[in-house]
Protein backbone atom coordinates (compact mmCIF):
# COMPACT_ATOMS: atom_id res chain seq x y z
CA UNK A 1 0.00 0.00 0.00
CA UNK A 2 1.17 3.53 -0.74
CA UNK A 3 0.76 6.84 1.04
CA UNK A 4 2.29 10.23 1.86
CA UNK A 5 3.93 11.18 5.16
CA UNK A 6 2.08 14.11 6.78
CA UNK A 7 3.74 14.15 10.20
CA UNK A 8 6.83 12.72 11.83
CA UNK A 9 7.66 12.52 15.51
CA UNK A 10 10.90 10.63 15.16
CA UNK A 11 9.68 7.08 15.72
CA UNK A 12 6.09 7.28 14.41
CA UNK A 13 4.92 8.66 11.06
CA UNK A 14 1.37 9.75 10.21
CA UNK A 15 0.71 8.59 6.65
CA UNK A 16 -2.21 9.62 4.46
CA UNK A 17 -3.40 6.60 2.48
CA UNK A 18 -4.51 6.65 -1.14
CA UNK A 19 -8.10 6.41 0.14
CA UNK A 20 -7.61 9.60 2.16
CA UNK A 21 -7.45 8.01 5.62
CA UNK A 22 -4.59 8.51 8.07
CA UNK A 23 -2.62 5.67 9.62
CA UNK A 24 0.22 5.65 12.12
CA UNK A 25 3.30 3.91 10.77
CA UNK A 26 6.78 2.99 11.92
CA UNK A 27 9.84 1.75 10.11
CA UNK A 28 11.40 -1.67 10.25
CA UNK A 29 15.16 -1.77 10.63
CA UNK A 30 17.35 1.05 9.41
CA UNK A 31 16.86 2.97 6.21
CA UNK A 32 19.93 3.99 4.29
CA UNK A 33 19.37 6.58 1.59
CA UNK A 34 22.22 6.88 -0.87
CA UNK A 35 24.43 9.91 -0.29
CA UNK A 36 22.51 11.28 2.71
CA UNK A 37 23.81 10.93 6.24
CA UNK A 38 20.65 11.88 8.05
CA UNK A 39 19.34 11.72 11.60
CA UNK A 40 15.84 11.06 10.25
CA UNK A 41 15.44 8.66 7.30
CA UNK A 42 11.83 9.62 6.49
CA UNK A 43 10.52 13.17 6.20
CA UNK A 44 7.19 14.93 5.81
CA UNK A 45 6.22 14.88 2.12
CA UNK A 46 7.84 11.50 1.44
CA UNK A 47 5.89 9.02 -0.69
CA UNK A 48 6.14 5.64 0.99
CA UNK A 49 5.03 2.01 0.65
CA UNK A 50 3.82 0.24 3.77
CA UNK A 51 2.21 -2.98 5.00
CA UNK A 52 -0.36 -3.38 7.77
CA UNK A 53 0.48 -5.22 10.98
CA UNK A 54 -1.56 -5.92 14.07
CA UNK A 55 -0.59 -6.02 17.74
CA UNK A 56 -3.54 -6.99 19.92
CA UNK A 57 -6.40 -4.68 18.96
CA UNK A 58 -4.09 -2.13 17.30
CA UNK A 59 -3.47 -1.95 13.55
CA UNK A 60 -0.52 0.09 12.32
CA UNK A 61 1.60 0.39 9.21
CA UNK A 62 5.19 -0.69 8.68
CA UNK A 63 7.03 1.41 6.09
CA UNK A 64 9.36 -0.66 3.94
CA UNK A 65 10.12 1.66 1.00
CA UNK A 66 10.56 5.37 0.24
CA UNK A 67 9.89 6.49 -3.33
CA UNK A 68 12.54 8.61 -5.05
CA UNK A 69 12.33 12.23 -3.91
CA UNK A 70 11.77 15.09 -6.36
CA UNK A 71 13.68 17.28 -3.89
CA UNK A 72 14.24 17.71 -0.18
CA UNK A 73 15.54 20.35 2.19
CA UNK A 74 17.93 19.74 5.04
CA UNK A 75 19.59 21.53 7.88
CA UNK A 76 22.64 20.52 9.85
CA UNK A 77 21.72 18.31 12.77
CA UNK A 78 21.92 20.15 16.07
CA UNK A 79 23.74 17.37 17.90
CA UNK A 80 25.91 15.75 15.22
CA UNK A 81 27.58 18.30 12.99
CA UNK A 82 28.43 15.84 10.21
CA UNK A 83 24.87 14.62 9.95
CA UNK A 84 21.87 16.42 8.56
CA UNK A 85 18.22 16.61 9.48
CA UNK A 86 15.78 16.39 6.55
CA UNK A 87 13.07 18.98 7.11
CA UNK A 88 10.70 18.04 4.28
CA UNK A 89 10.59 16.37 0.87
CA UNK A 90 8.78 16.79 -2.46
CA UNK A 91 8.03 20.50 -2.13
CA UNK A 92 6.59 22.26 -5.18
CA UNK A 93 7.02 25.86 -4.10
CA UNK A 94 8.46 27.83 -1.19
CA UNK A 95 7.29 31.33 -0.31
CA UNK A 96 9.98 33.53 1.24
CA UNK A 97 8.40 36.33 3.25
CA UNK A 98 10.30 39.61 3.36
CA UNK A 99 9.75 42.78 5.41
CA UNK A 100 11.66 46.05 5.14
CA UNK A 101 11.56 46.68 8.88
CA UNK A 102 10.08 45.16 12.06
CA UNK A 103 12.04 42.94 11.35
CA UNK A 104 14.37 43.93 8.54
CA UNK A 105 15.07 41.19 5.99
CA UNK A 106 18.59 41.67 4.67
CA UNK A 107 19.43 41.05 1.01
CA UNK A 108 22.23 38.71 2.11
CA UNK A 109 19.60 36.52 3.79
CA UNK A 110 17.34 36.60 0.71
CA UNK A 111 20.22 35.68 -1.62
CA UNK A 112 21.49 32.87 0.58
CA UNK A 113 17.94 31.49 0.77
CA UNK A 114 17.44 31.73 -3.01
CA UNK A 115 20.78 30.08 -3.81
CA UNK A 116 19.99 27.22 -1.48
CA UNK A 117 16.48 26.73 -2.89
CA UNK A 118 18.05 26.67 -6.39
CA UNK A 119 20.45 23.98 -5.13
CA UNK A 120 17.50 21.96 -3.78
CA UNK A 121 15.56 22.55 -7.02
CA UNK A 122 12.62 24.22 -5.29
CA UNK A 123 10.82 27.12 -6.95
CA UNK A 124 10.75 30.24 -4.75
CA UNK A 125 8.25 33.10 -4.71
CA UNK A 126 9.22 36.32 -2.90
CA UNK A 127 6.44 37.88 -0.83
CA UNK A 128 6.95 41.44 0.40
CA UNK A 129 4.63 41.69 3.40
CA UNK A 130 3.28 44.63 5.46
CA UNK A 131 3.14 46.99 2.44
CA UNK A 132 0.30 48.86 4.20
CA UNK A 133 2.81 50.07 6.84
CA UNK A 134 5.46 51.64 4.56
CA UNK A 135 5.96 55.30 3.65
CA UNK A 136 6.69 56.47 0.11
CA UNK A 137 10.44 56.08 0.42
CA UNK A 138 10.11 52.55 1.80
CA UNK A 139 7.63 51.56 -0.92
CA UNK A 140 10.15 52.78 -3.50
CA UNK A 141 12.77 50.49 -1.96
CA UNK A 142 10.36 47.54 -2.09
CA UNK A 143 9.66 48.29 -5.77
CA UNK A 144 13.40 48.48 -6.45
CA UNK A 145 14.03 45.10 -4.76
CA UNK A 146 11.05 43.47 -6.51
CA UNK A 147 12.31 44.75 -9.90
CA UNK A 148 15.82 43.43 -9.10
CA UNK A 149 14.55 39.90 -8.36
CA UNK A 150 11.94 39.89 -11.16
CA UNK A 151 14.73 40.65 -13.65
CA UNK A 152 16.51 37.48 -12.46
CA UNK A 153 13.30 35.50 -12.97
CA UNK A 154 11.66 35.29 -9.54
CA UNK A 155 7.94 35.92 -9.00
CA UNK A 156 7.49 38.81 -6.53
CA UNK A 157 4.29 39.88 -4.80
CA UNK A 158 3.56 42.81 -2.47
CA UNK A 159 0.91 41.95 0.12
CA UNK A 160 -0.57 42.82 3.50
CA UNK A 161 -1.41 39.61 5.35
CA UNK A 162 -3.03 41.57 8.16
CA UNK A 163 -5.38 43.53 5.85
CA UNK A 164 -5.91 40.61 3.46
CA UNK A 165 -4.45 42.58 0.54
CA UNK A 166 -3.49 40.22 -2.35
CA UNK A 167 -3.89 37.12 -0.18
CA UNK A 168 -6.08 35.65 -2.96
CA UNK A 169 -3.12 35.92 -5.36
CA UNK A 170 -0.98 33.94 -2.94
CA UNK A 171 -3.70 31.27 -2.84
CA UNK A 172 -3.72 31.11 -6.65
CA UNK A 173 0.02 30.42 -6.61
CA UNK A 174 -0.59 27.56 -4.15
CA UNK A 175 -3.30 25.77 -6.17
CA UNK A 176 -2.57 22.09 -6.74
CA UNK A 177 0.80 22.37 -5.02
CA UNK A 178 2.63 21.47 -1.82
CA UNK A 179 3.97 24.75 -0.47
CA UNK A 180 6.12 25.92 2.39
CA UNK A 181 6.41 29.39 3.95
CA UNK A 182 9.67 30.68 5.32
CA UNK A 183 11.26 33.89 6.55
CA UNK A 184 12.66 35.49 9.66
CA UNK A 185 10.60 35.43 12.84
CA UNK A 186 8.09 38.30 12.88
CA UNK A 187 7.65 38.74 9.12
CA UNK A 188 4.00 37.64 9.36
CA UNK A 189 4.22 34.02 8.28
CA UNK A 190 1.60 32.85 10.78
CA UNK A 191 -0.70 35.79 10.00
CA UNK A 192 -0.58 34.95 6.29
CA UNK A 193 -1.12 31.20 6.74
CA UNK A 194 -4.08 31.87 9.03
CA UNK A 195 -5.48 34.41 6.52
CA UNK A 196 -5.22 31.75 3.81
CA UNK A 197 -6.74 29.00 5.97
CA UNK A 198 -8.28 30.35 9.23
CA UNK A 199 -9.23 26.86 10.45
CA UNK A 200 -5.55 25.94 10.91
CA UNK A 201 -5.01 28.53 13.68
CA UNK A 202 -1.26 27.92 13.52
CA UNK A 203 0.99 29.31 16.22
CA UNK A 204 4.46 29.11 14.75
CA UNK A 205 6.19 32.42 15.42
CA UNK A 206 6.06 32.24 19.21
CA UNK A 207 7.92 28.95 19.44
CA UNK A 208 10.08 29.41 16.36
CA UNK A 209 13.11 31.03 17.94
CA UNK A 210 12.98 28.86 21.04
CA UNK A 211 13.13 25.71 18.95
CA UNK A 212 15.89 26.99 16.76
CA UNK A 213 18.11 28.03 19.68
CA UNK A 214 17.53 24.87 21.72
CA UNK A 215 20.51 22.55 21.59
CA UNK A 216 18.58 19.35 22.20
CA UNK A 217 15.20 19.96 20.60
CA UNK A 218 14.24 18.32 17.35
CA UNK A 219 11.90 20.26 15.12
CA UNK A 220 9.22 18.29 13.33
CA UNK A 221 7.43 19.54 10.28
CA UNK A 222 3.78 18.81 9.55
CA UNK A 223 1.74 18.89 6.35
CA UNK A 224 -1.85 20.12 6.20
CA UNK A 225 -4.51 19.74 3.48
CA UNK A 226 -6.14 23.08 2.72
CA UNK A 227 -9.74 23.68 1.64
CA UNK A 228 -8.81 24.71 -1.93
CA UNK A 229 -6.73 21.87 -3.43
CA UNK A 230 -3.43 22.79 -1.84
CA UNK A 231 -1.13 21.49 0.86
CA UNK A 232 1.12 23.40 3.19
CA UNK A 233 4.12 22.18 5.16
CA UNK A 234 4.57 24.03 8.42
CA UNK A 235 8.12 24.05 9.76
CA UNK A 236 8.40 25.75 13.16
CA UNK A 237 11.95 26.63 14.07
CA UNK A 238 13.37 26.86 10.57
CA UNK A 239 14.36 30.37 9.50
CA UNK A 240 15.92 29.32 6.23
CA UNK A 241 17.65 26.44 4.53
CA UNK A 242 21.12 25.52 5.74
CA UNK A 243 24.02 25.75 3.32
CA UNK A 244 24.81 22.06 3.50
CA UNK A 245 27.23 20.31 1.14
CA UNK A 246 27.46 23.22 -1.27
CA UNK A 247 30.97 23.38 -2.77
CA UNK A 248 32.43 26.87 -3.24
CA UNK A 249 32.93 26.16 -6.94
CA UNK A 250 29.23 25.55 -7.52
CA UNK A 251 27.71 28.45 -5.53
CA UNK A 252 27.81 30.71 -8.62
CA UNK A 253 25.67 28.18 -10.50
CA UNK A 254 22.84 28.84 -8.02
CA UNK A 255 22.79 32.55 -8.92
CA UNK A 256 20.80 32.28 -12.20
CA UNK A 257 22.11 35.57 -13.64
CA UNK A 258 25.73 34.41 -13.01
CA UNK A 259 25.06 30.97 -14.48
CA UNK A 260 23.72 32.52 -17.72
CA UNK A 261 27.03 34.34 -18.25
CA UNK A 262 29.32 31.50 -17.17
CA UNK A 263 30.02 30.30 -20.73
CA UNK A 264 31.33 33.75 -21.68
CA UNK A 265 34.06 33.71 -18.98
CA UNK A 266 37.60 33.03 -20.21
CA UNK A 267 38.04 30.15 -17.76
CA UNK A 268 35.35 27.48 -17.51
CA UNK A 269 36.07 27.12 -13.77
CA UNK A 270 35.89 30.90 -13.22
CA UNK A 271 34.98 31.87 -9.65
CA UNK A 272 34.11 35.45 -10.74
CA UNK A 273 36.51 36.95 -8.19
CA UNK A 274 40.12 37.52 -9.35
CA UNK A 275 40.09 35.92 -12.80
CA UNK A 276 40.69 37.99 -15.95
CA UNK A 277 38.05 38.31 -18.68
CA UNK A 278 35.19 37.35 -16.37
CA UNK A 279 31.75 37.93 -17.93
CA UNK A 280 30.10 38.24 -14.50
CA UNK A 281 32.45 41.02 -13.35
CA UNK A 282 31.99 42.82 -16.68
CA UNK A 283 28.20 42.64 -16.26
CA UNK A 284 28.64 43.94 -12.71
CA UNK A 285 30.64 46.96 -13.92
CA UNK A 286 27.94 47.65 -16.52
CA UNK A 287 25.19 47.51 -13.84
CA UNK A 288 23.63 44.46 -15.49
CA UNK A 289 24.04 42.50 -12.23
CA UNK A 290 23.11 43.92 -8.83
CA UNK A 291 26.02 44.70 -6.50
CA UNK A 292 23.98 43.41 -3.56
CA UNK A 293 23.80 39.99 -5.27
CA UNK A 294 27.54 39.93 -5.96
CA UNK A 295 28.29 40.91 -2.37
CA UNK A 296 26.07 38.05 -1.11
CA UNK A 297 27.89 35.66 -3.44
CA UNK A 298 31.31 36.72 -2.11
CA UNK A 299 30.13 36.22 1.48
CA UNK A 300 28.87 32.73 0.67
CA UNK A 301 32.08 31.74 -1.11
CA UNK A 302 34.20 33.04 1.79
CA UNK A 303 32.08 30.95 4.17
CA UNK A 304 30.83 33.85 6.28
CA UNK A 305 27.86 32.70 8.31
CA UNK A 306 25.06 34.89 9.67
CA UNK A 307 26.07 38.01 7.80
CA UNK A 308 22.52 39.34 7.75
CA UNK A 309 23.27 42.36 9.93
CA UNK A 310 24.17 44.78 7.17
CA UNK A 311 22.97 45.55 3.72
CA UNK A 312 23.97 47.04 0.40
CA UNK A 313 21.12 49.56 0.75
CA UNK A 314 22.20 51.10 4.06
Amino acid sequence: MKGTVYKSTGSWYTVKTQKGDFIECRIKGKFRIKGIKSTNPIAVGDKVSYELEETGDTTYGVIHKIEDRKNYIIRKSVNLSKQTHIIAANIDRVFLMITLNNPKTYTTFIDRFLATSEAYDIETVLIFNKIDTYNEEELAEIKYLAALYRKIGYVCLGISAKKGHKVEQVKELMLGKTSMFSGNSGVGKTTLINAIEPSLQLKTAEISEQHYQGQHTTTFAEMFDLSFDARIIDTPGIKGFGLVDMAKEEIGDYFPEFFKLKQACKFNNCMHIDEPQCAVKEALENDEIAWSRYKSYLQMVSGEEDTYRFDEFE
Side-chain angles (χ1 to χ4, degrees):
M1 286 177 278
K2 294 180 187 290
T4 304
V5 178
Y6 267 59
K7 191 178 182 179
S8 148
T9 55
S11 52
W12 285 94
Y13 303 91
T14 305
V15 172
K16 186 179 184 182
T17 69
Q18 287 177 316
K19 288 181 181 175
D21 304 319
F22 287 92
I23 184 165
E24 294 300 310
C25 295
R26 52 195 326 170
I27 53 175
K28 212 168 211 172
K30 286 193 174 181
F31 271 89
R32 288 279 176 266
I33 297 172
K34 279 187 287 184
I36 303 173
K37 286 182 181 172
S38 169
T39 54
N40 61 323
I42 296 174
V44 167
D46 269 330
K47 311 281 185 201
V48 296
S49 297
Y50 65 94
E51 289 164 356
L52 293 179
E53 286 198 7
E54 287 183 26
T55 305
D57 297 336
T58 311
T59 303
Y60 61 90
V62 178
I63 295 168
H64 57 84
K65 188 187 174 197
I66 305 171
E67 304 294 326
D68 287 343
R69 291 169 172 147
K70 179 175 82 170
N71 56 37
Y72 58 89
I73 55 167
I74 50 183
R75 67 170 166 87
K76 286 177 182 169
S77 173
V78 175
N79 303 324
L80 302 159
S81 59
K82 286 191 179 173
Q83 285 206 304
T84 54
H85 178 81
I86 303 168
I87 301 164
N90 301 317
I91 301 150
D92 295 315
R93 191 169 273 170
V94 64
F95 292 83
L96 177 61
M97 294 188 67
I98 297 161
T99 46
L100 210 55
N101 47 45
N102 299 321
K104 183 171 178 62
T105 306
Y106 292 95
T107 50
T108 40
F109 176 78
I110 299 169
D111 296 335
R112 188 176 290 251
F113 190 99
L114 289 175
T116 313
S117 62
E118 290 282 348
Y120 290 132
D121 195 25
I122 302 169
E123 188 187 335
T124 303
V125 172
L126 300 182
I127 291 186
F128 295 89
N129 192 23
K130 305 184 184 179
I131 58 162
D132 56 308
T133 65
Y134 301 135
N135 61 33
E136 250 177 81
E137 199 179 314
E138 289 165 333
L139 281 173
E141 192 171 324
I142 289 282
K143 282 178 182 169
Y144 172 81
L145 281 173
L148 187 161
Y149 289 106
R150 278 195 191 109
K151 186 183 172 188
I152 297 163
Y154 294 105
V155 173
C156 298
L157 202 58
I159 72 157
S160 168
K162 210 169 187 178
K163 305 265 173 149
H165 180 62
K166 292 204 176 169
V167 168
E168 284 302 316
Q169 281 176 254
V170 178
K171 285 171 80 168
E172 280 170 31
L173 291 168
M174 296 172 72
L175 270 177
K177 299 190 182 298
T178 298
S179 301
M180 208 177 101
F181 286 76
S182 205
N184 288 316
S185 194
V187 292
K189 184 176 76 136
T190 317
T191 309
L192 177 57
I193 294 171
N194 288 334
I196 288 164
E197 194 71 71
S199 62
L200 286 182
Q201 297 182 332
L202 294 184
K203 292 176 183 169
T204 54
E206 295 81 5
I207 60 167
S208 171
E209 289 304 304
Q210 263 173 297
H211 269 286
Y212 202 72
Q213 302 301 337
Q215 288 304 297
H216 301 290
T217 52
T218 309
T219 307
F220 298 111
E222 184 169 0
M223 184 149 70
F224 298 94
D225 287 326
L226 305 182
S227 56
F228 56 97
D229 180 31
R231 291 157 303 285
I232 188 168
I233 296 178
D234 184 40
T235 57
I238 305 301
K239 287 199 289 184
F241 306 157
L243 278 181
V244 182
D245 297 333
M246 202 187 280
K248 284 181 184 180
E249 297 74 27
E250 64 185 41
I251 292 173
D253 292 352
Y254 303 129
F255 281 67
E257 71 274 42
F258 292 17
F259 185 67
K260 272 184 199 166
L261 297 169
K262 190 180 178 181
Q263 300 301 321
C265 291
K266 184 181 179 182
F267 301 104
N268 57 12
N269 62 344
C270 185
M271 290 286 290
H272 321 305
I273 298 171
D274 301 317
E275 299 88 347
Q277 293 175 45
C278 166
V280 170
K281 283 197 294 179
E282 279 174 32
L284 190 65
E285 294 298 334
N286 295 329
D287 286 331
E288 291 158 13
I289 283 176
W291 279 93
S292 59
R293 292 276 289 167
Y294 186 67
K295 185 176 165 188
S296 298
Y297 167 72
L298 292 181
Q299 286 177 354
M300 287 170 71
V301 169
S302 69
E304 288 179 45
E305 293 285 340
D306 278 333
T307 44
Y308 316 137
R309 316 270 178 269
F310 47 87
D311 204 305
E312 193 64 33
F313 301 103
E314 290 189 334

